[in-house]
Amino acid sequence: SIDWKFCANHRGGLQMKAIETERLFLREWQKNDVRDLFDIMKNPSVINGGWKPHSSINTSIGILNEYIESNERWAVELKDAGKVIGSIRVYPDNNRGKVFAKTINYVLSEDYLGNGYMTESVKRIIEYLFEELDIDLISAFHYPDNDKSKKVLERCGFRYETTIEQGSARYDGQVFDAVCYSILKSDYFQNKSL
């Protein structure tokens, strides 16, 4: 097994750093973000992304500690409000057989849908992964009925690859097809030059 913390300073290793967009800060999670995390994750709609809704603030405390320790998730903070409204996770894509591929997933508070915040965040993370960390490919998966996630991926330049039948098990044991999208570094730079 690869020691990803060791790889942090090598090509393809994830280096968490604060990233800014026009309206957002993408930064490490902090202990005082627990109320915002609970506000995001208590909503039953998070099940559409495969997450178990949080039933109490104590659940969010435990999950937040995991986020902080894993060092692979950005908190998406709305600049004007100083409030965390979502999360983006980047982790190794072990399906590719290459070290320099990453998978991305994300969640956004239902209260902030329809404003382009997640598209803005994902575009900036893609830029960071390709231009600063020299990643070769980024993949993402969603459930077949998660049209909002599909639209974010398409707006960010991802292309449909395949649907893996019975490819994802949700927290409650239900199994769903996994719709796979990806974007290559070469395609990213080609589209950027247009």
mmCIF file of all heavy atoms in Angstrom, residues 5 18 38 40 44 52 58 74 79 82 84 89 91 96 100 105 107 114 120 152-153:
data_model
loop_
_atom_site.group_PDB
_atom_site.id
_atom_site.type_symbol
_atom_site.label_atom_id
_atom_site.label_comp_id
_atom_site.label_asym_id
_atom_site.label_seq_id
_atom_site.Cartn_x
_atom_site.Cartn_y
_atom_site.Cartn_z
ATOM 1 N N LYS A 5 0.871 10.145 2.736
ATOM 2 C CA LYS A 5 1.482 11.272 3.444
ATOM 3 C C LYS A 5 2.933 11.441 2.988
ATOM 4 O O LYS A 5 3.398 12.549 2.815
ATOM 5 C CB LYS A 5 1.387 11.077 4.948
ATOM 6 C CG LYS A 5 -0.049 11.130 5.435
ATOM 7 C CD LYS A 5 -0.109 11.318 6.920
ATOM 8 C CE LYS A 5 -1.522 11.228 7.399
ATOM 9 N NZ LYS A 5 -2.307 12.404 7.234
ATOM 10 N N ALA A 18 -4.768 26.498 1.131
ATOM 11 C CA ALA A 18 -5.916 27.391 0.980
ATOM 12 C C ALA A 18 -5.958 27.881 -0.462
ATOM 13 O O ALA A 18 -4.939 28.259 -1.035
ATOM 14 C CB ALA A 18 -5.816 28.556 1.949
ATOM 15 N N PHE A 38 -22.777 20.301 10.316
ATOM 16 C CA PHE A 38 -24.060 19.728 10.710
ATOM 17 C C PHE A 38 -25.194 20.316 9.880
ATOM 18 O O PHE A 38 -26.085 19.582 9.413
ATOM 19 C CB PHE A 38 -24.319 19.939 12.201
ATOM 20 C CG PHE A 38 -25.624 19.357 12.674
ATOM 21 C CD1 PHE A 38 -25.868 17.995 12.606
ATOM 22 C CD2 PHE A 38 -26.615 20.184 13.170
ATOM 23 C CE1 PHE A 38 -27.081 17.458 13.030
ATOM 24 C CE2 PHE A 38 -27.830 19.664 13.597
ATOM 25 C CZ PHE A 38 -28.062 18.295 13.519
ATOM 26 N N ILE A 40 -25.094 21.342 6.854
ATOM 27 C CA ILE A 40 -25.026 20.745 5.522
ATOM 28 C C ILE A 40 -25.547 19.309 5.554
ATOM 29 O O ILE A 40 -26.395 18.922 4.745
ATOM 30 C CB ILE A 40 -23.579 20.745 4.975
ATOM 31 C CG1 ILE A 40 -23.060 22.172 4.798
ATOM 32 C CG2 ILE A 40 -23.474 19.946 3.678
ATOM 33 C CD1 ILE A 40 -21.549 22.256 4.623
ATOM 34 N N PRO A 44 -31.765 15.606 4.614
ATOM 35 C CA PRO A 44 -31.942 14.275 4.002
ATOM 36 C C PRO A 44 -31.487 14.196 2.551
ATOM 37 O O PRO A 44 -31.195 13.114 2.055
ATOM 38 C CB PRO A 44 -33.454 14.032 4.102
ATOM 39 C CG PRO A 44 -33.941 14.953 5.163
ATOM 40 C CD PRO A 44 -33.010 16.141 5.156
ATOM 41 N N LYS A 52 -24.738 9.495 4.626
ATOM 42 C CA LYS A 52 -25.768 9.312 5.634
ATOM 43 C C LYS A 52 -26.043 10.664 6.282
ATOM 44 O O LYS A 52 -25.115 11.329 6.766
ATOM 45 C CB LYS A 52 -25.290 8.322 6.700
ATOM 46 C CG LYS A 52 -26.302 8.051 7.778
ATOM 47 C CD LYS A 52 -25.793 7.032 8.777
ATOM 48 C CE LYS A 52 -26.868 6.727 9.811
ATOM 49 N NZ LYS A 52 -26.394 5.692 10.746
ATOM 50 N N ASN A 58 -23.255 15.529 17.445
ATOM 51 C CA ASN A 58 -22.198 14.593 17.836
ATOM 52 C C ASN A 58 -21.705 13.772 16.639
ATOM 53 O O ASN A 58 -20.517 13.477 16.540
ATOM 54 C CB ASN A 58 -22.670 13.677 18.955
ATOM 55 C CG ASN A 58 -22.801 14.418 20.263
ATOM 56 O OD1 ASN A 58 -22.110 15.409 20.509
ATOM 57 N ND2 ASN A 58 -23.706 13.969 21.117
ATOM 58 N N TRP A 74 -11.412 19.754 1.379
ATOM 59 C CA TRP A 74 -11.481 21.196 1.561
ATOM 60 C C TRP A 74 -12.864 21.570 2.080
ATOM 61 O O TRP A 74 -13.874 21.037 1.624
ATOM 62 C CB TRP A 74 -11.281 21.924 0.234
ATOM 63 C CG TRP A 74 -9.878 22.108 -0.207
ATOM 64 C CD1 TRP A 74 -9.059 23.168 0.094
ATOM 65 C CD2 TRP A 74 -9.113 21.261 -1.065
ATOM 66 N NE1 TRP A 74 -7.846 23.016 -0.521
ATOM 67 C CE2 TRP A 74 -7.851 21.844 -1.238
ATOM 68 C CE3 TRP A 74 -9.382 20.044 -1.690
ATOM 69 C CZ2 TRP A 74 -6.857 21.269 -2.019
ATOM 70 C CZ3 TRP A 74 -8.394 19.466 -2.468
ATOM 71 C CH2 TRP A 74 -7.152 20.075 -2.624
ATOM 72 N N LYS A 79 -17.227 33.505 1.106
ATOM 73 C CA LYS A 79 -16.446 34.652 1.595
ATOM 74 C C LYS A 79 -17.314 35.668 2.331
ATOM 75 O O LYS A 79 -16.977 36.081 3.438
ATOM 76 C CB LYS A 79 -15.762 35.378 0.433
ATOM 77 C CG LYS A 79 -14.526 34.758 -0.089
ATOM 78 C CD LYS A 79 -13.974 35.659 -1.196
ATOM 79 C CE LYS A 79 -12.777 35.060 -1.864
ATOM 80 N NZ LYS A 79 -12.269 35.920 -2.944
ATOM 81 N N GLY A 82 -18.703 34.101 5.637
ATOM 82 C CA GLY A 82 -17.804 33.410 6.557
ATOM 83 C C GLY A 82 -18.372 32.073 7.006
ATOM 84 O O GLY A 82 -18.086 31.596 8.090
ATOM 85 N N VAL A 84 -19.190 27.909 6.098
ATOM 86 C CA VAL A 84 -18.885 26.752 5.267
ATOM 87 C C VAL A 84 -20.194 26.226 4.691
ATOM 88 O O VAL A 84 -21.145 25.953 5.420
ATOM 89 C CB VAL A 84 -18.162 25.655 6.072
ATOM 90 C CG1 VAL A 84 -17.964 24.403 5.226
ATOM 91 C CG2 VAL A 84 -16.815 26.159 6.581
ATOM 92 N N ARG A 89 -13.689 16.619 -1.663
ATOM 93 C CA ARG A 89 -12.684 15.614 -1.304
ATOM 94 C C ARG A 89 -11.910 15.211 -2.547
ATOM 95 O O ARG A 89 -12.496 14.989 -3.609
ATOM 96 C CB ARG A 89 -13.361 14.378 -0.707
ATOM 97 C CG ARG A 89 -12.394 13.290 -0.331
ATOM 98 C CD ARG A 89 -13.108 12.085 0.249
ATOM 99 N NE ARG A 89 -12.143 11.052 0.603
ATOM 100 C CZ ARG A 89 -12.387 9.761 0.533
ATOM 101 N NH1 ARG A 89 -13.573 9.320 0.143
ATOM 102 N NH2 ARG A 89 -11.458 8.897 0.862
ATOM 103 N N TYR A 91 -8.937 12.329 -3.563
ATOM 104 C CA TYR A 91 -8.230 11.155 -3.042
ATOM 105 C C TYR A 91 -7.755 10.297 -4.213
ATOM 106 O O TYR A 91 -8.202 10.490 -5.352
ATOM 107 C CB TYR A 91 -9.119 10.364 -2.086
ATOM 108 C CG TYR A 91 -10.452 9.935 -2.640
ATOM 109 C CD1 TYR A 91 -10.647 8.640 -3.089
ATOM 110 C CD2 TYR A 91 -11.521 10.827 -2.733
ATOM 111 C CE1 TYR A 91 -11.872 8.234 -3.604
ATOM 112 C CE2 TYR A 91 -12.738 10.431 -3.244
ATOM 113 C CZ TYR A 91 -12.910 9.137 -3.686
ATOM 114 O OH TYR A 91 -14.117 8.749 -4.191
ATOM 115 N N ARG A 96 -7.293 3.248 -11.695
ATOM 116 C CA ARG A 96 -6.582 3.596 -12.927
ATOM 117 C C ARG A 96 -5.262 2.870 -13.102
ATOM 118 O O ARG A 96 -4.701 2.886 -14.173
ATOM 119 C CB ARG A 96 -6.313 5.107 -12.977
ATOM 120 C CG ARG A 96 -7.550 5.938 -12.876
ATOM 121 C CD ARG A 96 -8.397 5.802 -14.106
ATOM 122 N NE ARG A 96 -9.709 6.386 -13.863
ATOM 123 C CZ ARG A 96 -10.589 6.615 -14.790
ATOM 124 N NH1 ARG A 96 -10.321 6.315 -16.041
ATOM 125 N NH2 ARG A 96 -11.759 7.122 -14.486
ATOM 126 N N PHE A 100 -0.835 8.911 -10.575
ATOM 127 C CA PHE A 100 -1.112 10.327 -10.805
ATOM 128 C C PHE A 100 -2.550 10.587 -11.267
ATOM 129 O O PHE A 100 -2.800 11.478 -12.054
ATOM 130 C CB PHE A 100 -0.086 10.905 -11.767
ATOM 131 C CG PHE A 100 1.318 10.605 -11.323
ATOM 132 C CD1 PHE A 100 2.185 9.920 -12.142
ATOM 133 C CD2 PHE A 100 1.743 10.961 -10.054
ATOM 134 C CE1 PHE A 100 3.466 9.624 -11.712
ATOM 135 C CE2 PHE A 100 3.022 10.667 -9.621
ATOM 136 C CZ PHE A 100 3.883 9.987 -10.456
ATOM 137 N N ASN A 105 -14.934 14.177 -5.125
ATOM 138 C CA ASN A 105 -16.366 14.186 -4.833
ATOM 139 C C ASN A 105 -16.670 15.408 -3.994
ATOM 140 O O ASN A 105 -15.765 16.064 -3.470
ATOM 141 C CB ASN A 105 -16.868 12.880 -4.225
ATOM 142 C CG ASN A 105 -16.379 12.600 -2.830
ATOM 143 O OD1 ASN A 105 -15.925 13.470 -2.111
ATOM 144 N ND2 ASN A 105 -16.489 11.356 -2.417
ATOM 145 N N VAL A 107 -20.001 17.870 -1.841
ATOM 146 C CA VAL A 107 -21.353 18.064 -1.323
ATOM 147 C C VAL A 107 -21.533 19.558 -1.085
ATOM 148 O O VAL A 107 -20.594 20.248 -0.682
ATOM 149 C CB VAL A 107 -21.604 17.246 -0.030
ATOM 150 C CG1 VAL A 107 -20.679 17.668 1.100
ATOM 151 C CG2 VAL A 107 -23.067 17.308 0.398
ATOM 152 N N GLY A 114 -27.835 26.071 -6.936
ATOM 153 C CA GLY A 114 -28.318 26.934 -8.000
ATOM 154 C C GLY A 114 -27.597 28.255 -8.134
ATOM 155 O O GLY A 114 -28.011 29.115 -8.917
ATOM 156 N N GLU A 120 -17.844 26.558 -9.442
ATOM 157 C CA GLU A 120 -16.710 27.461 -9.204
ATOM 158 C C GLU A 120 -15.618 26.767 -8.398
ATOM 159 O O GLU A 120 -14.423 26.885 -8.707
ATOM 160 C CB GLU A 120 -17.226 28.696 -8.459
ATOM 161 C CG GLU A 120 -16.234 29.777 -8.207
ATOM 162 C CD GLU A 120 -16.858 30.993 -7.533
ATOM 163 O OE1 GLU A 120 -18.043 31.317 -7.820
ATOM 164 O OE2 GLU A 120 -16.158 31.635 -6.717
ATOM 165 N N VAL A 152 -22.673 19.640 -12.729
ATOM 166 C CA VAL A 152 -21.427 20.260 -12.260
ATOM 167 C C VAL A 152 -20.249 19.681 -13.040
ATOM 168 O O VAL A 152 -19.395 20.418 -13.544
ATOM 169 C CB VAL A 152 -21.230 20.061 -10.740
ATOM 170 C CG1 VAL A 152 -19.809 20.430 -10.316
ATOM 171 C CG2 VAL A 152 -22.252 20.875 -9.948
ATOM 172 N N LEU A 153 -20.200 18.367 -13.144
ATOM 173 C CA LEU A 153 -19.088 17.721 -13.847
ATOM 174 C C LEU A 153 -19.025 18.161 -15.310
ATOM 175 O O LEU A 153 -17.941 18.484 -15.817
ATOM 176 C CB LEU A 153 -19.219 16.200 -13.744
ATOM 177 C CG LEU A 153 -19.081 15.638 -12.333
ATOM 178 C CD1 LEU A 153 -19.413 14.155 -12.318
ATOM 179 C CD2 LEU A 153 -17.703 15.894 -11.760
#
